[in-house]
Amino acid sequence: MTTPPARPVGGTVRAFGGATMGTTWSVKAVLPATTDLLALEAMVQRALDTVVAEMSPWEPLSDLSRYNRAAPGTWTQLPAAMAAVLRRAIEVAERSHGAFDPTLGALTELWGFGPRPFSGAPPPAGDIMPLRDAMGWTRLTLDGDALLQPGGVRLDLNGIAKGFGVDQAATALDRAGVKSYLVEVGGELRGVGAKPDGQPWWVELERPPPKGLAANDAEKTVVALHDLSVATSGDYRRFFDHDGRRYAHTLDPATGAPTTHATVSVTVLAKDCMSADAWATALTVMSPDAALAFAAEHDLAALIVSGRSDGLEERLSPALRAMLD
């Protein structure tokens, strides 16, 4: 990827990190030697802890869990940040014609990808249909930051919250006066500024492991994150195997079950990581051809990886090809 030269900046690259959302986070930042790394690390950790406290289904006292337990017909006042995330989720749901849906909480738990204990076997079809019929992003009504519980709706923001966490970590660094950094949460990234030698933050786009498929010898795709974010959704990240079949964590809202098409992973680049995360989730629900066509139509910079008998096939959307030229 070609990139304009950047001015060298003062300081050295220093690294720190921690744990969040069942994974890890890390930051590489250009900082003066006098910077208090522990204080900066604590600021980022607090920002990420707030996202968990508001939007984690694994936290019984989170605002998301509180809404999911709310009685039908009642309103739940959401924190401003969570309401903003939900508004973005609804927007992506509408534009993707429901491929992205933030109301899959009950189905996510039914399939063993939530906080409840799981039997290790696919649920009976008779258990899926009632939950599928009760969900749906069109049932969500936001009035300011208050959200109506129509009855039976359980939010699941896992397809967008991690990306938002990256954005919040970046905001914490911005407020601390950090001008150049690469922040990462569970493989999702945002890069700002340049390194001391003037080079941008180069990152390799994530590719699925070749397990079960022939190795892919295609050239690696490397991009420079100039005030840019990247997120990947892949069926190899969370799954379970049963009777010789793999069930991935990506659920198709139309069926209430894991997707069955050939899409293995989708990586999306966007200005903010929340959007990149949500669009990567939405495109993963689609078939490879549909995802590529949708990305082209909506000017999304996307890398779509699908499986075939002889290995992996990687296809770039026009917007991503333009970025790499």
Side-chain angles (χ1 to χ4, degrees), residues 7-322:
R7 295 180 180 179
V9 293
T12 58
V13 176
R14 305 178 70 182
F16 52 96
T20 188
M21 304 180 194
T23 184
T24 60
W25 67 267
S26 65
V27 171
K28 294 179 181 178
V30 179
L31 301 168
T34 56
T35 300
D36 185 342
L37 280 188
L38 290 179
L40 197 57
E41 179 182 298
M43 288 181 62
V44 174
Q45 187 69 61
R46 282 196 298 272
L48 292 168
D49 288 348
T50 299
V51 177
V52 172
E54 292 180 359
M55 306 180 214
S56 173
W58 280 268
E59 296 293 333
L61 299 180
S62 72
D63 295 277
L64 181 143
S65 295
R66 182 166 57 92
Y67 170 79
N68 287 346
R69 292 192 300 267
T74 61
W75 293 83
T76 298
Q77 188 69 27
L78 303 180
M82 181 177 172
V85 171
L86 187 58
R87 278 191 288 270
R88 184 64 174 135
I90 293 172
E91 179 185 344
V92 174
E94 182 176 13
R95 291 182 61 193
S96 67
H97 308 290
F100 182 89
D101 194 319
T103 67
L104 300 182
L107 287 166
T108 299
E109 290 198 1
L110 182 68
W111 281 97
F113 301 114
R116 292 183 180 177
F118 180 55
S119 67
D127 292 348
I128 298 172
M129 292 303 105
L131 298 182
R132 192 194 68 173
D133 293 342
M135 57 158 247
W137 65 272
T138 58
R139 301 189 68 206
L140 296 176
T141 301
L142 264 173
D143 183 3
D145 291 347
L147 180 63
L148 176 67
Q149 171 58 269
V153 168
R154 294 180 62 85
L155 291 178
D156 179 1
L157 298 177
N158 287 333
I160 191 172
K162 189 166 66 170
F164 180 71
V166 172
D167 294 334
Q168 291 298 91
T171 297
L173 294 170
D174 293 339
R175 288 175 177 168
V178 182
K179 303 298 183 183
S180 181
Y181 56 81
L182 178 69
V183 59
E184 176 265 344
V185 178
E188 303 191 358
L189 306 107
R190 175 166 175 76
V192 170
K195 292 183 283 188
D197 61 1
Q199 284 292 311
W201 300 103
W202 291 101
V203 300
E204 179 185 340
L205 299 189
E206 184 176 326
R207 300 161 71 207
K211 182 178 180 180
L213 296 168
N216 190 345
D217 296 326
E219 183 179 351
K220 295 178 180 179
T221 304
V222 180
V223 298
L225 294 188
H226 282 295
D227 198 17
L228 196 63
S229 303
V230 59
T232 298
S233 177
D235 68 3
Y236 53 89
R237 287 186 165 181
R238 295 177 61 203
F239 58 87
F240 67 90
D241 293 317
H242 182 77
D243 285 346
R245 178 180 170 185
R246 174 160 295 182
Y247 297 85
H249 76 283
T250 302
L251 302 183
D252 183 347
T255 65
T259 57
T260 57
H261 52 62
T263 301
V264 176
S265 73
V266 175
T267 297
V268 172
L269 286 86
K271 173 74 172 180
D272 60 287
C273 203
M274 172 172 63
S275 296
D277 194 7
W279 283 121
T281 302
L283 294 178
T284 303
V285 170
M286 305 177 192
S287 70
D289 289 342
L292 187 63
F294 186 93
E297 180 182 356
H298 293 81
D299 199 30
L300 297 175
L303 169 65
I304 298 160
V305 182
S306 55
R308 58 187 189 187
S309 59
D310 59 345
L312 297 175
E313 180 182 17
E314 297 183 358
R315 290 189 283 178
L316 281 63
S317 70
L320 182 55
R321 287 194 181 278

